[in-house]
């Protein structure tokens, strides 16, 4: 009987199934890795009797305040980032003024600062003993807050302002890219017909930029939801903070899982809204490579106002916080009193982040290659599922991973005790492997998108020619795809590495008790009210993020000329 005979196919075991490419197993594994914590979270939230008893209390006492605070925070940060990001992107792409070329890439620098670091810095800078109020009292002769009023950043408006000056580059980058290449003929025709600058922006620029604006705002809102350090320090009772306090302070894992499920609903609603907005707004550009819009030169007052408007976000989002840290380090002599323990913390952070980045890129390479080389229709949906991890906040991800990983550790410990009389302890959670796994799930989307971006530059005809010459899939990847896509993959690896270095919520919740990183040490100093003692560690985190920010800015400016 022929192997292709239907009767033979019916007798085949399901275990004999083979995909069209072995890289399909990477797509299956990546999707399973992301779905595992989400399914475990749902099971923990609703499968126990204790969970059913906790829900009424959460619904009555915790969720109302957390939902209101989170909603106001999202609306405020989203609105501020849209105004700053779109406004600065429009100015640097449509007009020419002194300092424009420098400001075009400097506007990306706040991405190097984590939101929690910026919050710590501004609370210290604006505080009663901070340099600003101290200088104010020195000039006026005032002695206490009874003599004058000064705004307190530890509230919801303060959180909105501080987070917005850090996160606006997500909107700026996406809208700048679109403003730079949108139909030059349309914009110039409108100018020739006498369209005023405001009308040109509202009637042509902004409608064309809506898909890019939706994408950038989605990233802003997801990062806002993920934050725990800034919201806790600034006194905002967000959903993320409620998950943390319910789990750590009140010891209620089912209660934390239930709040996390509510948060997941918000996350998926944001993703669906962004997809719908982008799906409804499709604008055609010429088939030929679009030429950049001719920038209109500004003179005098207009040029000064444009430069001032673009310089303010850079000043408050990057220059002032970095300058404050450098000043504190020099004044306190932290370099002269350098603690060698900081090198160990730096080594921990570099090791964990580097290992996670390497695994993310390896898995992303397999998933992207499977989507390119495989014939199965389900490979691309699996890749999208594997990319969902970035949309899951770190606290939610840590909570979902803790449950199956703890079960695995307990199972291995029982087996080792029964078979060999050994007590290995917590293998994954106790070694830091759980933290690396959380980084992989959280940032796998960046690895997949980076590899896909690199592979998109390789013509499928090259693949066909290589296969016609007898090259197998791994050989095509090693000898063709990797050399051609290496720059994009390297940039993705760098971004993943820095994001792992800055990640705070998952690190706080999944790290072993004997393992600290730069982020957790800075958080500990801030929690004890001595943030200045961690200024050097904070500066190291920022310096690590500066180069990727330069890469992002350079990529965008090179693309548009």
């Amino acid at each position: 009987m022929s192997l292709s005979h239907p009767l033979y196919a019916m007798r085949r075991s399901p275990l004999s199934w083979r995909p069209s490419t072995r890289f399909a197993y990477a797509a299956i594994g990546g999707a399973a890795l992301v779905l595992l914590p989400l399914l475990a979270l749902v099971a923990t939230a609703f499968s126990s009797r204790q969970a059913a008893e906790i829900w009424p209390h959460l619904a009555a006492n915790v969720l109302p305040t957390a939902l209101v605070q989170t909603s106001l925070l999202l609306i405020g940060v989203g609105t501020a980032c849209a105004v700053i990001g779109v406004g600065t992107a429009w100015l640097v792409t449509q007009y020419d003024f002194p300092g424009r070329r420098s400001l075009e890439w400097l506007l990306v620098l706040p991405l190097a600062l984590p939101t929690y670091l910026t919050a710590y810095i501004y609370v210290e800078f604006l505080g009663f003993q901070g340099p600003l109020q101290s200088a104010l009292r020195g000039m006026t002769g005032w002695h206490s807050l009874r003599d004058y009023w000064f705004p307190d950043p530890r509230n919801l408006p303060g959180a909105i302002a501080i987070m917005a000056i850090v996160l606006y580059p997500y909107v700026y980058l996406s809208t700048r890219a679109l403003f730079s290449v949108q139909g030059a003929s349309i914009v110039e025709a409108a100018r020739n017909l006498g369209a005023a600058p405001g009308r040109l922006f509202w009637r042509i620029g902004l409608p064309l930029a809506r898909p890019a604006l939706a994408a950038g705002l989605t990233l802003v809102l997801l990062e806002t939801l993920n934050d725990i350090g800034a919201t806790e320090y600034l006194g905002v009772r967000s959903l993320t903070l409620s998950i943390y306090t319910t789990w750590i302070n009140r010891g209620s894992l089912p209660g934390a899982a239930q709040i996390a499920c509510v948060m997941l609903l918000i996350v998926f609603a944001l993703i669906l809204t962004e997809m719908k907005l982008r799906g409804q707004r499709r604008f055609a550009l010429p088939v030929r490579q679009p030429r950049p819009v001719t920038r209109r030169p500004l003179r005098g007052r207009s040029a000064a106002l444009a430069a001032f408007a673009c310089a303010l976000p850079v000043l408050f989002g990057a220059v002032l916080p970095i300058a404050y840290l450098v000043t504190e380090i020099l004044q306190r002599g932290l370099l002269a009193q350098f603690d060698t323990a900081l090198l160990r913390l730096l080594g921990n952070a570099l090791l964990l982040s580097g290992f996670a980045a390497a695994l993310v890129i390896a898995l992303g390479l397999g998933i992207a290659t499977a989507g390119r080389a495989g014939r199965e229709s389900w490979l691309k949906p699996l890749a999208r599922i594997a990319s969902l991890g970035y949309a899951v906040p770190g606290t939610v991800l840590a909570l979902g991973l803790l449950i199956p990983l703890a079960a695995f550790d307990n199972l291995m410990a029982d087996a080792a005790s029964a078979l060999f009389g050994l007590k290995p302890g917590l293998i994954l959670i106790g070694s830091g492997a759980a933290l690396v796994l959380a980084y992989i799930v959280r940032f796998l989307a960046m690895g997949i998108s980076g590899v896909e971006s690199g592979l998109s530059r390789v013509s499928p005809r090259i693949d066909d020619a290589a296969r016609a010459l007898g090259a197998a899939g791994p050989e095509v990847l090693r000898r063709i795809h990797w050399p051609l896509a290496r720059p994009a993959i390297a940039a993705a690896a760098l971004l993943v590495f820095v994001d792992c270095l800055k990640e705070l919520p998952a690190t706080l919740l999944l790290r072993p008790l004997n393992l600290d990183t730069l982020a957790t040490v800075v958080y500990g100093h801030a929690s004890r009210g001595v943030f200045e003692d961690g200024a050097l560690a904070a500066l190291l985190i920022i310096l690590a993020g500066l180069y990727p920010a330069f890469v992002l800015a350079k990529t965008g400016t090179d693309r548009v000329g």
Side-chain angles (χ1 to χ4, degrees):
M1 182 183 295
S2 171
L3 293 179
S4 61
H5 194 279
L7 292 178
Y8 180 83
M10 292 174 62
R11 292 197 200 110
R12 285 190 302 173
S13 167
L15 297 177
S16 65
W17 171 80
R18 294 290 185 273
S20 60
T21 172
R22 67 185 67 182
F23 293 109
Y25 295 114
I28 296 172
L33 199 60
V34 172
L35 287 176
L36 176 65
L38 302 183
L39 295 176
L41 193 68
V42 174
T44 304
F46 301 106
S47 62
S48 66
R49 181 178 177 182
Q50 182 187 3
E53 297 173 351
I54 293 173
W55 175 251
H57 169 75
L58 294 177
N61 302 299
V62 178
L63 284 177
T65 301
L67 283 172
V68 170
Q69 293 267 296
T70 302
S71 300
L72 293 175
L73 183 67
L74 292 176
I75 293 171
V77 174
T79 303
C81 286
V83 172
I84 299 172
V86 176
T88 53
W90 180 257
L91 287 174
V92 299
T93 55
Q94 302 299 315
Y95 301 99
D96 198 8
F97 49 88
R100 182 199 63 80
R101 293 186 65 85
S102 297
L103 288 168
E104 190 173 6
W105 59 265
L106 285 173
L107 281 162
V108 184
L109 290 190
L111 279 184
L113 281 75
T115 51
Y116 57 88
L117 280 187
T118 310
Y120 302 156
I121 290 169
Y122 270 103
V123 167
E124 297 298 325
F125 180 76
L126 300 174
F128 183 78
Q129 298 296 335
L132 190 58
Q133 289 201 53
S134 298
L136 184 65
R137 290 194 299 273
M139 290 186 297
T140 60
W142 294 331
H143 300 287
S144 68
L145 288 177
R146 289 175 296 186
D147 301 325
Y148 66 99
W149 175 86
F150 197 85
D152 184 5
R154 290 198 176 195
N155 48 42
L156 183 60
I160 290 172
I162 290 172
M163 297 180 77
I165 61 173
V166 177
L167 299 177
Y168 80 85
Y170 287 111
V171 176
Y172 167 76
L173 284 170
S174 60
T175 53
R176 185 191 69 175
L178 196 144
F179 284 149
S180 299
V181 298
Q182 68 184 359
S185 58
I186 301 175
V187 175
E188 290 170 4
R191 287 175 179 169
N192 293 333
L193 291 173
R199 186 176 180 84
L200 187 65
F201 172 76
W202 290 107
R203 298 296 297 273
I204 296 178
L206 190 58
L208 284 172
R210 284 180 187 174
L213 176 59
L217 277 180
T218 301
L219 291 175
V220 167
L221 298 181
L222 290 176
E223 287 295 326
T224 303
L225 278 174
N226 179 62
D227 178 84
I228 187 173
T231 52
E232 180 186 22
Y233 202 66
L234 298 174
V236 179
R237 293 180 57 185
S238 64
L239 283 169
T240 306
L241 183 59
S242 298
I243 294 171
Y244 181 78
T245 55
T246 302
W247 180 8
I248 301 300
N249 298 342
R250 299 172 187 170
S252 176
L253 192 61
Q258 289 176 353
I259 302 174
C261 287
V262 174
M263 196 168 180
L264 279 179
L265 292 177
I266 297 176
V267 168
F268 290 135
L270 289 174
I271 295 174
L272 291 175
T273 302
E274 188 263 344
M275 291 173 60
K276 185 176 180 181
L277 287 174
R278 284 204 296 175
Q280 289 179 345
R281 300 282 179 177
R282 298 185 183 276
F283 301 95
L285 291 175
V287 175
R288 294 176 301 172
Q289 180 68 24
R291 62 182 175 87
V293 178
T294 302
R295 297 183 180 92
R296 294 185 62 180
L298 297 178
R299 298 287 184 267
R301 182 179 179 184
S302 298
L305 288 175
F308 180 73
C310 292
L312 275 182
V314 179
L315 174 64
F316 290 111
V319 175
L320 196 152
I322 294 175
Y324 176 80
L325 284 180
V326 172
T327 302
E328 288 295 324
I329 291 171
L330 295 177
Q331 287 182 347
R332 292 173 176 270
L334 295 181
L335 287 177
Q337 306 170 9
F338 186 80
D339 188 358
T340 56
L342 191 62
L343 295 177
R344 178 178 56 82
L345 299 175
L346 179 61
N348 291 341
L350 295 177
L351 181 63
L352 290 171
S353 302
F355 193 47
L359 292 176
V360 163
I361 294 302
L363 188 54
L365 195 59
I367 294 173
T369 304
R372 180 184 176 95
R375 296 189 297 269
E376 290 82 2
S377 60
W378 43 264
L379 284 174
K380 291 188 182 299
L382 281 184
R384 301 286 76 82
I385 292 174
S387 299
L388 286 177
Y390 188 73
V392 181
T395 48
V396 176
L397 186 61
L399 185 60
L401 280 173
L402 180 70
I403 302 155
L405 293 183
F408 176 82
D409 279 348
N410 291 331
L411 180 64
M412 294 299 294
D414 293 342
S417 177
L419 295 176
F420 309 107
L422 300 176
K423 295 182 179 180
L426 299 175
I427 299 173
L428 295 180
I429 297 178
S431 64
L435 188 54
V436 172
L437 195 59
Y439 290 160
I440 294 172
V441 176
R442 175 110 168 84
F443 302 115
L444 182 56
M446 299 175 67
I448 295 173
S449 63
V451 174
E452 287 179 343
S453 173
L455 293 181
S456 66
R457 305 173 186 177
V458 184
S459 172
R461 295 180 180 178
I462 299 179
D463 297 9
D464 297 337
R467 293 191 185 97
L469 293 173
E475 188 178 6
V476 173
L477 176 62
R478 178 174 57 86
R479 301 184 63 179
I480 297 176
H481 291 169
W482 173 255
L484 294 175
R486 187 164 49 194
I489 295 174
L494 185 64
L495 293 175
V496 172
F497 173 80
V498 173
D499 273 351
C500 292
L501 202 64
K502 297 190 297 183
E503 172 65 25
L504 181 63
T507 308
L508 278 177
L509 296 173
L510 287 178
R511 67 182 176 90
L513 294 177
N514 60 346
L515 180 65
D516 280 314
T517 66
L518 293 174
T520 59
V521 165
V522 172
Y523 174 83
H525 284 307
S527 300
R528 294 190 296 271
V530 287
F531 167 69
E532 297 88 346
D533 293 343
L536 188 55
L539 186 61
L540 288 176
I541 296 175
I542 294 174
L543 292 178
L546 283 177
Y547 181 68
F550 278 118
V551 170
L552 281 173
K554 188 74 166 56
T555 301
T557 52
D558 284 350
R559 191 174 298 155
V560 301

